[in-house]
Amino acid sequence: MSQRTFPDGFLWGAATAAHQIEGSPMADGAGPSIWTRFAHTPGMTLNGDTGDVACDHYRRWKDDVKLMRELGLQAYRFSVSWSRIHPEGTGRVNQAGVDFYSRLVDELLENGIEPLLTLYHWDLPAALEDRGGWLNRDSADWFAEYGSTMYRALDGRVKKWVTLNEPWVITDGGYLHGALAPGHRSKYETPIASHNLMRAHGAAVKAYRDIGKHEIGLVVNIEPKYPASDSAEDTAATKRAHAYMNEQYLDPALLGRYPPELKEIFGDAWPDWAAADLELIRQQLDFIGINYYTRSVTQANDSYPLKAGAVRQPLGTYTETGWEVYPKGLTDLLVWVKERYGDIPMYITENGAAFFDPPVAEGGRVRDPLRMDYLQKHIGAVHDAIQAGCDIRGYMLWSLLDNLEWSLGYSKRFGMVHVNYGTQERTPKDSARWYSKVIASHGASL
Ligand SMILES: N#[N+]C[C@@H]1[C@@H](O)[C@H](O)[C@@H](O)[C@@H]2O[C@H]12
């Protein structure tokens, strides 16, 4: 393979999220989030795992930034816990919470690492859930208020902002299937929560334009859907699945409309949204963040309400989370984004895999060849998309650290750095050492 060259300024980094690594969820005046509440509800998470300690990053943040510098990271994507900033969700500001993230940002900058800040990575203040959460249309104002607090505190030091992380997972997991906080199971609530999340996205971007002077975008998890056969049923099912996961958020954000398949999927549960709502949602964005993990070979089935589902590939390689390793899907997806939405700049804001890692060997080594192979092939797929004309500005590996995988608890390890949850010792895996070389060579060593 000829040497791969990445664009000048292409940012190499890693990503995490507050609830998954910080621990100390109620420290220094913070309020509870829906994940604090959900994880402490018996039966909601594997082994009853909670974010009470996680990777103890709330206390070990300075050492973690030192580790990022040692690995040569150029950027670090993290999220802010809303309920550390506004313990009741709105109104009173908890300055100790703002100060935590201000110190973190300063430490990143002092170590030559660019911060990418995600405002919402699933941890809604519990106080707002008690007021209806994302089912309440006021949530757009709540979110814009919270975003404005953070813009005023950090804009200028933070120059790349993200409003929402993966609205599809928030609603499919938290409102339709109940696997994620707040654990609702309603075909009728799902479109309402989804729409209000996007209204909140729009309101937060509008607020940013009045306060901020840099860049703001949206992060979506999308995956290419390939029909399992050329039958009419599988073709139609693939179209529905594509609209439901891939177009449902990017279309309103970038085109100001929803794909028509959503009315077909949700039927009488899909309201006729007001045009003013779509105008609010469609705000000029500076970039789109793409979280990519896998593809879906899709067939028609009797699943509710989508009537479509993935077919396991007999010759496929699968990760610990049951996702097929399919790098070409990332290239196909990025080209699709460019073709459908134009030349909007993109970042790969998450890409990575959980594999069964061996314990830390003598001398502090963690051999993770499957993860290295996954990363090498997927970063190569990003390069292929760049060669195809996609404007991709960076790659954030998921994840910096092994961390709390939501309802799956600590059972899945996505980190390039191993975390011993008993001692909190961090040990860079072989993949971290390999990634450091990729960064140092700007991709040439891939
Ligand atoms: N599962 N999994 C790994 C990873 C999850 O840990 C992140 O929080 C999400 O943004 C996204 O789902 C991807």
Side-chain angles (χ1 to χ4, degrees):
M1 176 195 316
S2 64
Q3 196 172 65
R4 293 180 181 275
T5 53
F6 284 77
D8 289 347
F10 185 90
L11 271 180
W12 301 93
T16 66
H19 185 75
Q20 295 181 267
I21 68 166
E22 286 181 357
S24 307
M26 302 293 283
D28 301 327
S33 76
I34 55 174
W35 270 96
T36 315
R37 186 179 282 177
F38 190 74
H40 282 275
T41 305
M44 292 298 111
T45 64
L46 189 66
N47 306 320
D49 287 345
T50 74
D52 290 356
V53 178
C55 305
D56 199 26
H57 176 76
Y58 187 75
R59 297 185 320 138
R60 297 167 187 267
W61 58 275
K62 192 167 260 194
D63 287 343
D64 285 338
V65 174
K66 183 168 176 291
L67 177 58
M68 294 179 215
R69 191 196 63 226
E70 288 166 359
L71 293 173
L73 299 191
Q74 299 170 347
Y76 173 55
R77 177 180 173 236
F78 65 97
S79 77
V80 169
S81 177
W82 184 343
S83 49
R84 293 194 193 281
I85 310 303
H86 291 283
E88 293 80 36
T90 60
R92 181 175 70 91
V93 172
N94 176 39
Q95 192 56 43
V98 176
D99 293 346
F100 169 72
Y101 294 104
S102 181
R103 286 193 299 270
L104 173 62
V105 165
D106 286 343
E107 190 73 14
L108 289 166
L109 294 172
E110 281 166 28
N111 283 274
I113 300 167
E114 178 163 5
L116 280 79
L117 188 154
T118 302
L119 288 171
Y120 189 68
H121 202 126
W122 307 0
D123 46 358
L124 185 75
L128 295 180
E129 179 62 17
D130 294 342
R131 294 164 62 183
W134 295 113
L135 299 175
N136 187 330
R137 280 181 65 89
D138 292 345
S139 49
D141 298 329
W142 304 339
F143 189 57
E145 177 189 1
Y146 155 55
S148 300
T149 301
M150 295 312 296
Y151 304 151
R152 291 190 189 97
L154 297 180
D155 193 56
R157 290 181 282 163
V158 172
K159 297 181 178 178
K160 289 177 177 61
W161 296 83
V162 166
T163 56
L164 304 175
N165 177 76
E166 300 193 348
W168 181 85
V169 176
I170 297 169
T171 52
D172 185 79
Y175 287 86
L176 186 61
H177 297 296
L180 302 176
H184 296 192
R185 287 184 173 79
S186 166
K187 179 176 97 165
Y188 292 87
E189 288 186 353
T190 302
I192 294 167
S194 187
H195 185 69
N196 283 335
L197 272 160
M198 292 309 289
R199 292 177 56 249
H201 158 76
V205 174
K206 269 188 81 173
Y208 184 73
R209 298 305 180 203
D210 294 335
I211 300 169
K213 295 178 176 50
H214 300 281
E215 297 180 340
I216 193 163
L218 170 68
V219 167
V220 290
N221 63 295
I222 51 180
E223 67 179 47
K225 310 290 183 179
Y226 305 91
S229 77
D230 58 7
S231 70
E233 294 77 11
D234 287 352
T235 303
T238 302
K239 204 161 178 294
R240 284 195 303 275
H242 178 65
Y244 177 54
M245 188 178 213
N246 301 333
E247 296 173 341
Q248 179 173 195
Y249 301 97
L250 289 177
D251 276 14
L254 299 174
L255 304 178
R257 65 174 189 264
Y258 282 110
E261 290 82 0
L262 291 175
K263 180 70 178 168
E264 176 194 344
I265 294 163
F266 286 100
D268 65 346
W270 185 260
D272 292 327
W273 302 115
D277 283 0
L278 272 296
E279 284 163 26
L280 172 63
I281 293 170
R282 186 185 187 185
Q283 298 293 323
Q284 184 66 34
L285 297 180
D286 301 300
F287 63 86
I288 287 291
I290 305 289
N291 291 358
Y292 177 82
Y293 289 92
T294 189
R295 70 163 173 176
S296 167
V297 177
T298 304
Q299 70 178 3
N301 64 23
D302 58 1
S303 65
Y304 170 85
L306 191 56
K307 296 186 177 54
V311 185
R312 191 172 176 90
Q313 296 306 293
L315 301 178
T317 301
Y318 285 78
T319 70
E320 278 290 289
T321 47
W323 296 339
E324 185 189 4
V325 177
Y326 195 74
K328 184 179 177 300
L330 177 51
T331 307
D332 292 350
L333 199 65
L334 294 167
V335 170
W336 169 76
V337 172
K338 171 182 166 59
E339 288 173 350
R340 185 171 179 85
Y341 304 108
D343 283 333
I344 186 162
M346 291 184 266
Y347 289 87
I348 309 304
T349 35
E350 287 182 28
N351 176 243
F355 290 107
F356 177 75
D357 293 335
V360 180
E362 279 302 306
R365 188 168 170 196
V366 181
R367 291 174 172 78
D368 59 339
L370 292 177
R371 181 174 292 104
M372 284 168 60
D373 183 62
Y374 178 101
L375 295 171
Q376 191 273 338
K377 287 174 177 163
H378 283 79
I379 296 172
V382 172
H383 188 266
D384 291 344
I386 292 170
Q387 296 295 91
C390 297
D391 181 0
I392 303 166
R393 306 271 176 102
Y395 177 88
M396 304 296 131
L397 190 155
W398 184 270
S399 179
L400 172 70
L401 301 173
D402 290 336
N403 60 56
L404 174 63
E405 190 41 58
W406 306 106
S407 306
L408 297 176
Y410 297 98
S411 67
K412 306 300 176 200
R413 291 180 177 268
F414 277 86
M416 63 172 156
V417 174
H418 175 275
V419 176
N420 178 324
Y421 295 114
T423 64
Q424 290 298 344
E425 185 178 5
R426 277 78 160 134
T427 308
K429 302 175 188 176
D430 285 357
S431 58
R433 303 299 181 199
W434 169 84
Y435 189 51
S436 295
K437 295 191 180 90
V438 171
I439 297 172
S441 68
H442 201 51
S445 69
L446 204 56

